[in-house]
Amino acid sequence: MRHHTIQAIFDGVYTALVTNMLLVAGGLPLVLLALTTDSTRAWPLYALTAPLCAPGLCGIFAVMSAYTAGHTDGPLRTFGRAWRSTARPAMLWGAAATVVLVVLGVDAYALWGHRIGALTLPILAMLTVLTVATTLLGLVVIAEQPAARLHRVARACLYLAVRRWYLTVASLLVLALLAQLVTLRPALALGLAAAPLLYVVWANSRHCLRAALDPPTRTT
């Protein structure tokens, strides 16, 4: 029992460290932009680059799913296989989400300080939150079902994000915490904290999507 416990701890630590490395590798375009540009001025470059990082997130979610299920293929092989199978749908999904977020952001900037903004800005903020939540759930779905039709993914994820709002809020709070850590302590966040926090987000999202991803069980 002691041997199995120690082995499980080492496997978990190894998977977490490799996952952090793979996260940096999958999001390398954004990491390079963050190191070389000012995000407030170079946001169009961030918008153009963000969809390229979507397959990397799908690969991370696939690694977490495989680790939870007890598969022994290893995180590197699982990540590579998931990246190849989800590259096209994940990039399309990420591009669509980026376009929506850019439009909402530009509208909010244009309306800021105007009288009509007092009415429309809360609506735009709510739409932004729903877009982020739907995008996150969609990446979890694509990681498990790369051949799923994206319009069906969007419809199901939007519905479940609203219906199970408490899980959505929890996932977004964890993501906000991770974003704050990346901003303040990037080495600590990407080297240690990213994998555990993203695992919480993935587990939350997977539970939210249980009705859509898990086949119904038949009782006899």
Side-chain angles (χ1 to χ4, degrees):
M1 291 296 295
R2 184 179 302 174
H3 172 75
H4 288 302
T5 301
I6 295 175
Q7 183 67 34
I9 292 174
F10 274 104
D11 288 343
V13 172
Y14 169 76
T15 302
L17 293 177
V18 174
T19 299
N20 288 332
M21 181 193 69
L22 293 173
L23 178 65
V24 175
L28 191 59
L30 286 180
V31 173
L32 292 177
L33 282 177
L35 294 175
T36 58
T37 62
D38 182 5
S39 59
T40 58
R41 297 182 178 180
W43 66 265
L45 292 177
Y46 283 79
L48 291 174
T49 307
L52 300 177
C53 303
L57 275 178
C58 287
I60 294 298
F61 292 148
V63 170
M64 294 175 177
S65 178
Y67 175 77
T68 303
H71 297 164
T72 58
D73 290 343
L76 292 174
R77 185 177 300 177
T78 302
F79 179 87
R81 184 167 57 246
W83 197 100
R84 289 191 300 270
S85 62
T86 63
R88 183 176 180 275
M91 287 184 188
L92 290 176
W93 182 256
T98 302
V99 169
V100 174
L101 290 175
V102 167
V103 171
L104 292 173
V106 171
D107 289 344
Y109 181 80
L111 294 171
W112 187 266
H114 293 78
R115 184 175 300 177
I116 193 175
L119 298 175
T120 55
L121 287 177
I123 299 175
L124 294 177
M126 181 186 65
L127 292 176
T128 301
V129 171
L130 286 177
T131 302
V132 173
T134 303
T135 303
L136 175 63
L137 293 178
L139 291 175
V140 176
V141 174
I142 293 172
E144 293 199 19
Q145 299 180 3
R149 295 182 180 273
L150 295 184
H151 68 277
R152 294 183 179 177
V153 172
R155 197 162 54 235
C157 291
L158 178 60
Y159 170 75
L160 291 173
V162 174
R163 179 169 182 176
R164 299 184 174 178
W165 59 269
Y166 47 93
L167 296 176
T168 300
V169 171
S171 295
L172 293 180
L173 288 177
V174 175
L175 279 181
L177 174 61
L178 178 58
Q180 186 176 12
L181 286 175
V182 170
T183 302
L184 298 177
R185 297 287 189 272
L188 177 64
L190 296 177
L192 295 175
L197 292 178
L198 283 178
Y199 185 84
V200 173
V201 172
W202 170 81
N204 227 11
S205 302
R206 187 60 179 78
H207 183 72
C208 182
L209 293 165
R210 184 173 55 182
L213 292 178
D214 295 339
T217 57
R218 296 182 178 180
T219 58
T220 56

